Amino acid sequence: MDKTVSSAADAVAQIPDGATVMIGGFGGSGAPVELIHALIDRYRDTGSPSGLTVINNNAGNGGIGIAAMIKAGMVARMICSFPRSSNAEAFNEKYLAGEIALDLVPQGTLAERIRAAGAGIPAFYTPSSYGTELAEGKPTEEFDGKMYVRERWLKADFALIKGQQGDTAGNLTYRMAGRNFNPLMAMAADTTIAQVSALGQPGCIDPQQVITPGIFVDAVVEVTDPQQEEVLVRAGVVY
C-alpha cells in the first residue's frame, strides 16, 4: 500500500475545523515544521481549520510552528506540559486575553496518557499531581500506602509527526532525540501524517530498525531539507 503524498499541503488538507491534533516534537527536536506551516497556509487561504485542540509538549516558541498557529487564531485549546517555555509570547498573549484554553498536564503523565491511548488502555494511576489543583475532580486511590490519581488516555483525530527515514508503506525511523513524542502520537491518533527527510521503497529500512510500523501511519510526505525550529527562532523568523 503506497501511502505517499506529493506535498505537505496535500497531506494536511483533510484536517477539519474543531479537530484534535497531536504535534510531535520536544521543543524543536522532532517538530514537523513543514506540516505545521502547510496547515497555517491553508488557514490563511481558506479560514480553515480553526477551533483546533493542539496536543504538544509545549505551546510553541517565537513566531514559527505551533506559536504561529496560535498567533493566527487557529487554536482554541492547548494540552501541554510547558506553556511558558522561552519565546512563548504568542501563547501568553492569547491566554491572558482569554482567547485560548489550557489543559496543563505533567510531562510524564502527558506521555503516558498518549501511550495508553495507543495501547488501548483507557485509564491508569499515577502519583503525579496528587494534592494539587491539577488533580481536582479526578478519582484517587491508595496503593501500598501511597495515593495515586486516575488519568484517562489521550487520543487525537490527527497526529503530525516527523521521522528521519521512511518508506512508501509508512514505516519510520527517527533521528536521535527527534524520536521523543512522535512514535507515541503515531499510535494514539485516528489519522497519522508523517514527514520524513528520506523516503524509499519497502525494504530500504532494516526491519529491526523500524520504530513506527507503517500500520500506524496513514500518509507520508518527503521533506528532504526540513527546517529546524530553534534555528528559525534564533534568526527571528516569523511565519
Side-chain angles (χ1 to χ4, degrees), residues 112-113 115-124 151-155:
E112 183 62 10
R113 288 180 67 189
R115 191 201 70 83
I121 300 170
F124 61 91
E151 295 282 357
R152 292 292 308 276
W153 57 12
L154 187 58
K155 298 181 177 182

Side-chain angles (χ1 to χ4, degrees), residues 32-54:
V33 173
E34 283 72 18
L35 290 177
I36 298 170
H37 288 176
L39 199 60
I40 295 171
D41 290 342
R42 184 180 148 214
Y43 176 78
R44 288 172 175 165
D45 289 341
T46 69
S48 180
S50 62
L52 298 175
T53 294
V54 172

